[in-house]
Amino acid sequence: MSQAVCITTPIYYVNDRPHIGHAYTTTICDVWSRAERLMGRDVFFLTGTDEHGSKVEKSAAARGISPQALADENAAEFQRALATFGISNSDFIRTTQARHETQVQEQLRRLVKSGSVYLGTFEGWYDEGQEEYHTETRARELSYLSPISGKPLTRATEQNYYFKLSAFADRLAKHFADHPTFVRPSERANEMLGRLRDGLQDVPITRTNFSWGIAMPDAPGHVVYVWIDALFNYITALELGSADPARPDRSRYWPATYHIVGKEILWFHAVIWPALLMALELPLPKCVYAHSFWIADGQKMSKSLGNFVDLATIDRYFAQFGLDAWRWYMATQGPIAATDADFNAKHFHEIYTADLVNTVGNCPSRVGAMIGKYFDGRLPADSTAGQPAHDGAIGSHSWDSLCATTVREWESRMDAFDLQGAARIAIDLLRRVDAFINETAPFKLAKDPANAVQLASILNQCAQTVRVAGVLLEPFMPSKMAALAGAFGGQASSGAPWVVRVKYGTIAAGHPIEKLALFPRVDPATCVPAG
Ligand code: MSP
């Protein structure tokens, strides 16, 4: 039985249209899922939409439609967007689905039974846009303004059901201490620890001031707070709280390997969610990874500035550079670490040209062209068993061992969600092939028939290595790399087990090698303007 792994995106609010933020989180999860599947793992990749709450209720009222109609419309738009981004999710959960609602109610009954929920009165600083309460200390830090919308926080009082978050402070602190990579990157873990040290207050988990939500069981008038409702999606999709005998068995996917979230929603995922799971006696996710933000031309993206990279802009990038180039840029240049990343058209073009046109496109095209010219498009034999004719480009390695080492390194980077590292390793392999070609100069050797054996070996080694690099790049650029696998095929081109696919030397001598042009040059003058 292959190892089960699970990755999740946040579930997206349906009162927003899809934009680069959603595209980013979902794409990096997709790259990881494809990589893990390629390595033979049993992957569950979850995304979906967060459809309850007063914001949705209000937006729907403003349009004169029901909240459900608004949710249906926008959930469909998110699903269409996933298809255009080439996303391979295993499920799409919507919080208005019956499977979710009944299980949330079941989990709430369990929480009440466990003694970690009580009825109390709450007064606090409320961020209406985020549907989030802040403590006095935090509100003061924020100058009583929403960190997201900049609008004033309002003072609000409610009789609510509370979750005894305070009771979990010590266990949470211990979990952080015992699992240094529970929250990543480490800057974010330190931030959470700092806030944990400030102390934890119990959190209201129901509301009475709106009705568009899941009813709190046995508590008329109380609706489950949208964040609590939403967090449960990670386990309702896996049917962990389901009593339905016909449910699919997905329990092997819990605990999640990675919850990938944006930094502004980390508190919910790194503190509140784990405490809820502790109260329910369920295992905690292995890692909550909080990425930073895309900014545009040095400025924060916001609706009021009108500089959000929206679907229409993303479509223009697809038209000009192709979906795979977009995915490559997201996965390799994005705000995965603790700092924000700038999105701009010029940088996009530079990366496209350096990585894709000049390396991932050019290297196979060079190799294919030479095999075409000197060997009629058939792979010539290597009489040196992978030993390079010249040791400059790869030191004392054989290509065979260099590929094997690269593959192992790539596997561990991928498992650790170091997508940028994995991408660099794969592209470096192609850069080595390029350097090897420059050093050995097959085009010069070809001038003298006495060099035929050496020339054949060099080109064979180049082609074998290009094929392996193409497999390592496949999760990032599935369709272009499928074309590469087709052109440099061999028996291990697709569908074969991972160890076979990444094994050096599997293209048989005599196999046809096609010359292909993967990434056309794009004139910078015609580039998509940012925003
Ligand atoms: N519904 C909640 C999540 C509930 S999860 C149980 C939510 N939804 S959201 O639609 O507002 O945000 C979704 C994600 O988009 C967040 O992870 C957020 O960080 C991400 N992004 C929004 N703007 C972004 C950028 N400018 N850059 C990168 N990602 C950002 O929050």
Side-chain angles (χ1 to χ4, degrees), residues 224-499:
V224 179
Y225 172 38
V226 65
W227 260 105
I228 301 298
D229 165 353
L231 286 167
F232 276 116
N233 91 85
Y234 300 127
I235 59 172
T236 59
L238 299 179
E239 304 281 343
L240 291 200
S242 169
D244 180 356
R247 69 188 181 276
D249 183 9
R250 293 174 167 176
S251 55
R252 66 186 178 282
Y253 299 115
W254 192 260
T257 318
Y258 287 109
H259 282 324
I260 309 296
V261 300
K263 62 181 174 184
E264 88 287 16
I265 56 173
L266 180 58
W267 181 253
F268 290 103
H269 286 87
V271 173
I272 298 182
W273 177 229
L276 286 167
L277 290 166
M278 284 173 176
L280 291 165
E281 294 178 8
L282 288 171
L284 305 197
K286 291 186 186 135
C287 175
V288 181
Y289 197 116
H291 63 72
S292 302
F293 273 31
W294 279 108
I295 53 173
D297 295 311
Q299 273 190 309
K300 188 177 168 181
M301 286 189 203
S302 78
K303 279 188 206 119
S304 48
L305 287 172
N307 63 349
F308 243 112
V309 174
D310 58 9
L311 274 190
T313 310
I314 296 174
D315 270 341
R316 294 208 297 280
Y317 276 89
F318 286 173
Q320 200 156 32
F321 298 94
L323 168 62
D324 280 358
W326 168 267
R327 289 172 58 95
W328 179 255
Y329 189 76
M330 289 289 105
T332 63
Q333 306 299 316
I336 191 70
T339 45
D340 291 344
D342 197 30
F343 186 92
N344 71 71
K346 187 164 168 283
H347 186 236
F348 192 106
H349 182 266
E350 280 165 14
I351 295 297
Y352 175 76
T353 307
D355 287 354
L356 303 187
V357 178
N358 295 346
T359 309
V360 183
N362 190 51
C363 178
S365 140
R366 259 174 126 184
V367 173
M370 287 190 282
I371 294 175
K373 195 161 162 197
Y374 310 135
F375 296 97
D376 279 337
R378 304 250 160 207
L379 185 74
D382 178 5
S383 49
T384 69
Q387 271 320 312
H390 188 286
D391 65 6
I394 63 167
S396 55
H397 282 284
S398 66
W399 284 105
D400 194 345
S401 78
L402 181 71
C403 285
T405 314
T406 304
V407 168
R408 275 198 304 274
E409 178 72 13
W410 184 94
E411 288 170 342
S412 67
R413 301 268 179 158
M414 270 299 176
D415 283 341
F417 205 74
D418 177 7
L419 306 188
Q420 297 186 342
R424 197 172 46 246
I425 286 168
I427 207 168
D428 275 355
L429 201 52
L430 292 176
R431 295 208 165 102
R432 299 241 202 180
V433 172
D434 271 334
F436 180 61
I437 295 173
N438 295 345
E439 282 167 13
T440 53
F443 33 87
K444 284 191 194 146
L445 294 175
K447 291 184 182 141
D448 182 351
N451 297 325
V453 172
Q454 194 190 358
L455 178 67
S457 300
I458 291 171
L459 291 179
N460 180 296
Q461 290 163 14
C462 291
Q464 304 287 5
T465 308
V466 162
R467 193 197 61 77
V468 173
V471 178
L472 302 183
L473 290 168
E474 199 174 289
F476 299 91
M477 299 180 284
S479 71
K480 295 286 183 181
M481 293 306 107
L484 179 60
F488 281 65
Q491 40 164 301
S493 61
S494 68
W498 172 243
V499 285

Side-chain angles (χ1 to χ4, degrees), residues 12-13 16-23 74 77-82 85 309-312 314:
Y12 304 120
Y13 284 133
D16 206 356
R17 312 281 306 276
H19 56 61
I20 189 171
H22 310 114
N74 281 353
E77 170 135 17
F78 273 99
Q79 277 167 302
R80 276 195 301 276
L82 294 186
F85 298 147
V309 174
D310 58 9
L311 274 190
I314 296 174

Side-chain angles (χ1 to χ4, degrees), residues 67-139:
Q68 188 66 62
L70 177 80
D72 289 347
E73 196 180 294
N74 281 353
E77 170 135 17
F78 273 99
Q79 277 167 302
R80 276 195 301 276
L82 294 186
T84 48
F85 298 147
I87 302 301
S88 63
N89 53 308
S90 318
D91 197 354
F92 187 94
I93 186 145
R94 301 182 52 190
T95 56
T96 57
Q97 287 167 334
R99 61 167 171 166
H100 177 75
E101 297 193 345
T102 52
Q103 287 183 73
V104 168
Q105 290 186 320
E106 181 51 32
Q107 296 295 5
L108 284 162
R109 281 193 199 95
R110 288 184 196 167
L111 283 174
V112 171
K113 232 195 209 155
S114 76
S116 48
V117 165
Y118 63 92
L119 188 65
T121 306
F122 182 78
E123 196 182 349
W125 292 103
Y126 190 55
D127 179 341
E128 219 170 275
Q130 287 301 101
E131 314 214 15
E132 178 179 7
Y133 272 96
H134 293 290
T135 61
E136 182 61 42
T137 330
R138 178 92 182 121

Side-chain angles (χ1 to χ4, degrees), residues 179-230:
H179 303 86
T181 55
F182 174 57
V183 169
R184 286 173 59 200
S186 57
E187 291 89 335
R188 296 275 109 84
N190 291 335
E191 218 169 83
M192 292 298 113
L193 272 170
R195 284 178 69 181
L196 270 177
R197 278 189 214 105
D198 288 345
L200 290 178
Q201 294 187 341
D202 294 347
V203 287
I205 58 161
T206 63
R207 293 279 190 273
T208 48
N209 59 351
F210 70 97
S211 59
W212 181 239
I214 300 178
M216 175 74 180
D218 316 313
H222 285 268
V223 172
V224 179
Y225 172 38
V226 65
W227 260 105
I228 301 298
D229 165 353

